[in-house]
Structure formats: structure tokens, C-alpha cells
Amino acid sequence: MSIRLVEDVSDDTYLLDGLAITLTPASPWLGHQVRWDMTGHLKESFDLTRATCNVVMKFGPIKMLDKTYTLPDLLKRLGGRLSGDLTPPPGPWRQTWSLHLPETVPVAEHRILLRARTCSGKNLLALNIALNFSHRFRPPTTSGRTGSRIRENAHRR
């Protein structure tokens, strides 16, 4: 069974088109690194350091977080950082981030809505991210550390 963890819900008004996302490992665990590879096509150049990301995190129907970060600040919170061309030109675009999934995420099914915009207010991308950190996906503990795993890799159509 294929489960889509990261779904691109952008439309024609967004600057990033044809977005594909790959997570490595395909089943990352809390407290561990995950590699986030994105490829797509940029319709115009923008400054990655000034892009903003609105993050809404929900547990079921309850909104637990609704906060806006700059892209560099959001990546820093997850142990990542920007690299490469910080003002990429229009055309094919690739970005890779090594992120650290927090170990202290509550046991629950999470929905994260991420909406990114350029500093001029243009829509950059829209992602819906579904994570299940319920007890049934918690791996056995052998070292005293607990963690949960994400079930599948996600790719854009």
C-alpha cells in the first residue's frame, strides 16, 4: 500500500511547478535524520533567504501550531540549512536538505500544512504533510530510546 506523506497541493498560481519530493530513508524515525530532496521548475527567480513558510500543525481537529517562519529559520529548527544558489534562476530547480525529526513529537496522527511565499508575497509552494506517530508505528526499543516511523516515501504524481 502506498501512502503519500508529502502532497503538493500547489496550483498554477505558484512559482514552483512539477514539484517532486523524495524522503531518504523512506521510513524515517523520530530523533533521526531524513534527507528531503525536492525537484521542480521555477517560473521566476526569488530570494530563498527571504521566503516565508506558514506552518499549521494539527492533531486530529485540534490546531496545535500556526506560525510563520523565514525558510532559513524553519530549516534551522529542523537541523537543516540553505545551500547552493540562494536566488535560483527560472528553470529546473533542485534543493536537498538534511533534517532531524524531533524526538519529542507527541504520539498522534499529525497533519502539517505548509504554505511558502516569496518576500514579494507570491505563492511559492503548498504542501500537505501527513505523519502518523501512533503507538502501532512505534518501533521496538533496544537501546532505551523510543521513536516512531513514517510508513512510506512520497512522490508527486
Side-chain angles (χ1 to χ4, degrees):
M1 173 168 58
S2 177
I3 295 185
R4 177 168 288 173
L5 296 179
V6 182
E7 182 180 11
D8 178 14
V9 293
S10 307
D11 61 28
D12 291 342
T13 66
Y14 287 77
L15 294 183
L16 188 53
D17 192 30
L19 181 62
I21 298 172
T22 304
L23 301 178
T24 307
S27 297
W29 291 14
L30 289 176
H32 291 83
Q33 292 289 120
V34 62
R35 181 178 160 143
W36 176 288
D37 289 299
M38 293 186 352
T39 59
H41 186 279
L42 287 175
K43 295 177 184 174
E44 63 183 67
S45 184
F46 69 98
D47 184 349
L48 282 166
T49 65
R50 297 181 63 206
T52 58
C53 300
N54 176 253
V55 179
V56 175
M57 185 172 182
K58 296 180 175 186
F59 304 136
I62 301 168
K63 187 187 295 186
M64 300 303 290
L65 174 73
D66 187 348
K67 189 165 181 173
T68 300
Y69 303 90
T70 65
L71 179 57
D73 287 343
L74 179 59
L75 291 172
K76 185 177 179 181
R77 291 180 60 86
L78 295 169
R81 65 181 180 83
L82 288 173
S83 62
D85 190 347
L86 300 179
T87 53
W93 182 70
R94 176 180 202 97
Q95 191 69 216
T96 298
W97 298 314
S98 290
L99 306 175
H100 184 82
L101 296 178
E103 199 166 357
T104 57
V105 173
V107 174
E109 290 187 25
H110 303 264
R111 286 182 300 132
I112 301 169
L113 312 175
L114 187 141
R115 304 300 184 258
R117 299 174 71 83
T118 66
C119 63
S120 63
K122 292 183 179 181
N123 291 328
L124 179 57
L125 62 84
L127 302 176
N128 290 349
I129 305 167
L131 303 173
N132 188 340
F133 296 124
S134 66
H135 286 293
R136 68 184 178 144
F137 296 114
R138 192 169 293 278
T141 59
T142 56
S143 66
R145 294 182 71 190
T146 60
S148 297
R149 68 182 181 99
I150 300 171
R151 289 187 56 182
E152 280 289 325
N153 193 3
H155 290 283
R156 174 112 197 261
R157 314 176 255 290

